[in-house]
Amino acid sequence: MQVTQQQIQQDIQQEIAEVKEAVSQVLAHARRLGASSAEASMSRTRGLSVETRHGEVETLEFNQDGGLGISLYFGQRKGSASTADLSPQALQRAVEAAVDIARYTSEDPCAGVAEASWLEFSPAELDLFHPHDVDTSDAIASCARAEQAAFDYDSRIVNSEGASFSSHQGIKVYGNSHGQLVGYPSSRHSISCVMIGKTEQDMQRDYSYSVHRDFTKLLSPEQVGREAAEETVARLDARQVPTEKVPVIFRADIASSLFGHLVSAISGGSIYRQSSFLLDKLGQRIFPEHLNIIERPHLLQGLASSPFDGEGVKTRDLAVIEQGVLTSWLLTSYSARKLGLASTGHAGGIHNWLVQHGEQDLAALCQHMGRGLLVTELMGQGVNTVTGDYSRGAAGFWVENGEIQFPVAEVTIAGNLKEMFQRIVAIGKDVDVRGGVQTGSVLIESMQLAGN
């Protein structure tokens, strides 16, 4: 029998209510055992994942997971425990285990529940829940359609590393001894495809994917398959290029990694541990004046949207970079206390960074660059966020006279993130919205390229 959307909405609200009741029981038991403060949270996810190769099912999973975690405090001493069993007896045992652990921990003056004034007691509705009743056979067929579309695209597509489909929904509930008890549901759907191409001289692989809160807004399997094939074919017969300093464009789908290093460098933990290359840069210009980054936690259907963070702290719009100037650290309640500041609502990560872009598309950026490397893949982990030193394997395309000439492989690009940030010439309007950092392609004035 087909379940109606109304019934699904009713069921999810009932589930949230049940988990809230469990959190309330945990907090009440913590109080009875003498805890001066406590917090508890639970994330629960369930859904379907399918992986196929050549149309044959390789993996089929129905999963449902999630556990309730509690942290309680006796003054500045902390104890934590968790349980997946929400029976009253199991909840009590979890609290008692946390109490026992707290007896043996050292006092930490920065430990504790977030300040009441920081918390979100009335979370906004952000349209994050779009469940879709996916039939297993339909999920398998979607994967097969993506692969077939890729094979049909070009005869040089000779093999597949597989296609995958995922559809999940879940809830997040958080409560603490300040009287906060909040929760919301969310959903996430995705489809991807990885293909292999071959010529007499070369063999390459590449992929494409689509992800959204709303199933109906995914790209079609055929489009995902064609894009995977197109990317793969474009990389065939790749060459090396000489070692020299050249301009570099990070294509939009990998440019977000540059700003991911910024996230790590300005996170409170890196700052109070003094392990960041941006340690003394708050209030200083670290990017060109034309660059701005704003965090928008309340974007409707945003993949990184949330009305509150992992500690119940209210999320707010935040100008992280204003005219190139670093204006804020990213703080949890613990790192905020360490630094004598207020939490910025970043327990658990960032929430929809929007990197301001210009009016040039990728082709126009290549014209702007003239001669250099367009990077479409990065390999390795050669990034040191203490010093800012950057060195990674790369692949992409060589650009001459503003036009793509041939694919490039087996090269290394290197620099220092401080200089790379300062040397950002332009950001394209080809914004990739499939993650927590939404940015267009990034043109950097100069990097060291190591080739043959």
Side-chain angles (χ1 to χ4, degrees):
M1 185 177 66
Q2 188 74 21
V3 181
T4 66
Q5 286 294 313
Q6 183 180 9
Q7 184 61 52
I8 292 173
Q9 294 287 347
Q10 290 175 350
D11 290 347
I12 203 75
Q13 292 304 324
Q14 178 63 32
E15 184 177 2
I16 291 174
E18 291 171 357
V19 174
K20 282 184 174 181
E21 176 58 30
V23 168
S24 295
Q25 291 180 30
V26 162
L27 296 174
H29 195 48
R31 281 195 303 272
R32 286 194 294 270
L33 295 181
S36 53
S37 61
E39 59 185 336
S41 64
M42 182 169 189
S43 294
R44 180 184 281 173
T45 304
R46 63 176 175 272
L48 166 71
S49 298
V50 175
E51 294 180 5
T52 71
R53 185 167 177 268
H54 292 289
E56 298 294 324
V57 177
E58 293 205 325
T59 305
L60 174 61
E61 293 181 348
F62 295 92
N63 52 352
Q64 179 166 321
D65 53 47
L68 187 148
I70 178 170
S71 294
L72 50 78
Y73 305 87
F74 288 82
Q76 309 306 136
R77 290 181 292 120
K78 176 183 177 180
S80 298
S82 64
T83 177
D85 183 351
L86 298 189
S87 68
Q89 297 82 5
L91 295 175
Q92 288 187 20
R93 287 194 297 270
V95 175
E96 289 158 6
V99 170
D100 289 339
I101 291 168
R103 293 194 180 112
Y104 298 98
T105 59
S106 301
E107 290 196 357
D108 185 337
C110 296
V113 176
E115 307 301 322
S117 60
W118 300 345
L119 301 177
E120 176 60 85
F121 289 90
S122 301
E125 165 55 49
L126 303 181
D127 197 25
L128 305 180
F129 187 55
H130 292 266
H132 187 78
D133 189 13
V134 180
D135 184 85
T136 305
S137 60
D138 289 341
I140 295 169
S142 292
C143 293
R145 286 162 54 195
E147 285 187 290
Q148 191 58 52
F151 281 118
D152 292 343
Y153 178 82
D154 194 292
S155 61
R156 289 170 290 180
I157 299 296
V158 298
N159 209 341
S160 168
E161 287 196 4
S164 64
F165 174 88
S166 173
S167 179
H168 287 79
Q169 65 183 56
I171 63 171
K172 178 180 179 180
V173 172
Y174 175 86
N176 60 35
S177 49
H178 289 307
Q180 183 187 29
L181 185 58
V182 289
Y184 64 90
S186 64
S187 59
R188 189 181 184 95
H189 315 277
S190 65
I191 184 168
S192 65
C193 186
V194 186
M195 303 306 293
I196 297 171
K198 185 179 180 182
T199 63
E200 291 183 5
Q201 293 80 29
D202 194 20
M203 182 179 290
Q204 295 286 346
R205 64 182 287 280
D206 215 320
Y207 69 98
S208 181
Y209 73 99
S210 179
V211 58
H212 209 283
R213 298 282 191 186
D214 186 344
F215 177 85
T216 65
K217 295 181 180 178
L218 289 176
L219 296 181
S220 71
E222 287 78 11
Q223 189 169 352
V224 170
R226 285 192 298 269
E227 287 184 0
E230 185 178 6
E231 294 285 340
T232 302
V233 168
R235 294 182 59 168
L236 288 170
D237 298 326
R239 313 179 204 173
Q240 280 191 306
V241 289
T243 296
E244 60 179 318
K245 281 195 172 183
V246 295
V248 171
I249 294 175
F250 288 77
R251 197 173 66 178
D253 53 331
I254 63 164
S256 60
S257 67
L258 288 174
F259 301 105
H261 302 313
L262 172 64
V263 172
S264 298
I266 65 173
S267 293
S270 298
I271 302 305
Y272 78 72
R273 294 187 185 98
Q274 300 191 339
S275 58
S276 168
F277 71 96
L278 296 176
L279 186 62
D280 57 349
K281 298 300 183 181
L282 188 65
Q284 296 187 33
R285 179 166 285 115
I286 62 171
F287 288 98
E289 193 171 345
H290 64 77
L291 196 144
N292 296 281
I293 300 175
I294 186 169
E295 184 173 65
R296 296 286 302 280
H298 301 161
L299 285 182
L300 298 183
Q301 300 185 14
L303 288 171
S305 292
S306 179
F308 54 87
D309 75 353
E311 298 175 320
V313 174
K314 182 181 299 185
T315 54
R316 297 183 175 89
D317 287 358
L318 176 67
V320 182
I321 303 293
E322 283 189 284
Q323 296 182 328
V325 175
L326 175 62
T327 63
S328 178
W329 303 130
L330 308 179
L331 304 175
T332 64
S333 61
Y334 186 85
S335 60
R337 292 183 183 117
K338 278 282 192 179
L339 297 169
L341 301 168
S343 172
T344 58
H346 286 97
I350 62 169
H351 312 284
N352 302 317
W353 273 23
L354 308 184
V355 182
Q356 183 176 324
H357 58 83
E359 294 304 315
Q360 296 173 300
D361 59 14
L362 181 56
L365 274 187
C366 289
Q367 287 287 332
H368 189 155
M369 178 170 69
R371 177 179 183 273
L373 181 67
L374 166 60
V375 178
T376 60
E377 183 182 16
L378 293 167
M379 294 152 277
Q381 303 297 323
V383 182
N384 187 330
T385 54
V386 177
T387 64
D389 289 338
Y390 185 100
S391 178
R392 298 190 69 181
F397 299 90
W398 186 252
V399 175
E400 197 83 44
N401 298 320
E403 301 288 342
I404 291 175
Q405 302 298 314
F406 53 83
V408 173
E410 299 179 10
V411 297
T412 300
I413 53 175
N416 185 279
L417 286 167
K418 281 185 183 179
E419 296 175 356
M420 290 164 63
F421 288 169
Q422 290 281 3
R423 291 176 177 173
I424 291 177
V425 175
I427 296 177
K429 65 178 182 180
D430 55 333
V431 177
D432 188 342
V433 298
R434 297 174 296 181
V437 177
Q438 299 185 16
T439 178
S441 297
V442 175
L443 169 58
I444 295 179
E445 180 182 9
S446 177
M447 291 187 68
Q448 181 65 51
L449 170 63
N452 53 22

